[in-house]
Amino acid sequence: VYFVRDGNHRVSVARERGQDYIDAYVTVVDVPIRLTPEMALDDVVDQAEYAKFMQQTDLARLRPDVDLRLSDPNAYQRLIEHIGTHAYYLSVEQVTYVSFEEAVVSWYDNVYCPLVTAIAEHELAKRLPNYTITDLYLFVSDYQWLLLEADESEEDPHELSEKLAE
């Protein structure tokens, strides 16, 4: 798969003239995703960021069949921060070091999945169809944090999902 970074006009003129070859500097980019000729460059960036996140967390091995795709490829760093924060609280709670792998599994099983279940029960994905379930996880998590910062009482994820839906 080839993407033209600069010189789109020259490429279109060469195609129009039926040119078989064009001089170019080619940069090979090795990405851990499947590329197809139909993909736009933005799609490649999105997939590459997701692949990077999956490699960092090793979730494909730890929890096969997960789908944590986000609409904004820059938001994967926020998920890494969620896992890091979870690792900190686990370490404090257990009074011992918690490995990143242990934190990933615990975050996914005990934080992400319960919140996603609450989101599904309140049909947020149907109400907000342009967002992925992981986008919604981040929205509800942000909402929960804002409530805590406003000194509101801790609320159940089900109540949070319903309030956010409203």
Side-chain angles (χ1 to χ4, degrees):
V1 176
Y2 298 92
F3 295 95
V4 177
R5 181 175 178 192
D6 184 38
N8 285 308
H9 181 70
R10 285 178 283 152
V11 171
S12 63
V13 169
R15 282 187 178 151
E16 189 175 301
R17 292 181 176 174
Q19 234 176 293
D20 290 332
Y21 300 95
I22 189 168
D23 290 332
Y25 292 101
V26 177
T27 304
V28 176
V29 179
D30 186 22
V31 292
I33 58 172
R34 185 175 173 278
L35 298 176
T36 65
E38 299 80 31
M39 292 176 82
L41 191 53
D42 287 345
D43 298 332
V44 173
V45 171
D46 291 351
Q47 294 233 10
E49 287 301 314
Y50 182 63
K52 181 179 165 186
F53 168 76
M54 293 301 283
Q55 286 177 331
Q56 280 181 290
T57 60
D58 202 19
L59 272 164
R61 180 183 64 82
L62 298 169
R63 292 294 180 265
D65 302 322
V66 298
D67 184 358
L68 300 175
R69 293 178 200 280
L70 290 162
S71 298
D72 177 4
N74 298 312
Y76 290 107
Q77 186 56 41
R78 290 182 54 211
L79 292 180
I80 295 291
E81 290 167 6
H82 279 226
I83 294 167
T85 302
H86 185 70
Y88 168 78
Y89 285 114
L90 275 180
S91 295
V92 168
E93 182 181 286
Q94 296 176 9
V95 193
T96 187
Y97 170 77
V98 173
S99 72
F100 186 70
E101 184 174 300
E102 290 175 284
V104 167
V105 169
S106 178
W107 168 81
Y108 181 78
D109 292 346
N110 301 307
V111 177
Y112 181 82
C113 285
L115 193 50
V116 165
T117 298
I119 289 166
E121 287 175 4
H122 289 93
E123 299 183 331
L124 280 182
K126 287 182 183 175
R127 296 178 188 187
L128 301 165
N130 295 330
Y131 297 101
T132 69
I133 198 74
T134 307
D135 290 334
L136 297 174
Y137 159 83
L138 285 174
F139 293 160
V140 174
S141 295
D142 288 348
Y143 183 64
Q144 183 178 31
W145 181 81
L146 289 170
L147 288 176
L148 290 172
E149 285 294 304
D151 205 26
E152 303 250 344
S153 61
E154 271 193 55
E155 294 192 44
D156 176 69
H158 295 277
E159 292 173 25
L160 286 169
S161 295
E162 184 56 35
K163 280 187 177 180
L164 185 62
E166 290 170 3

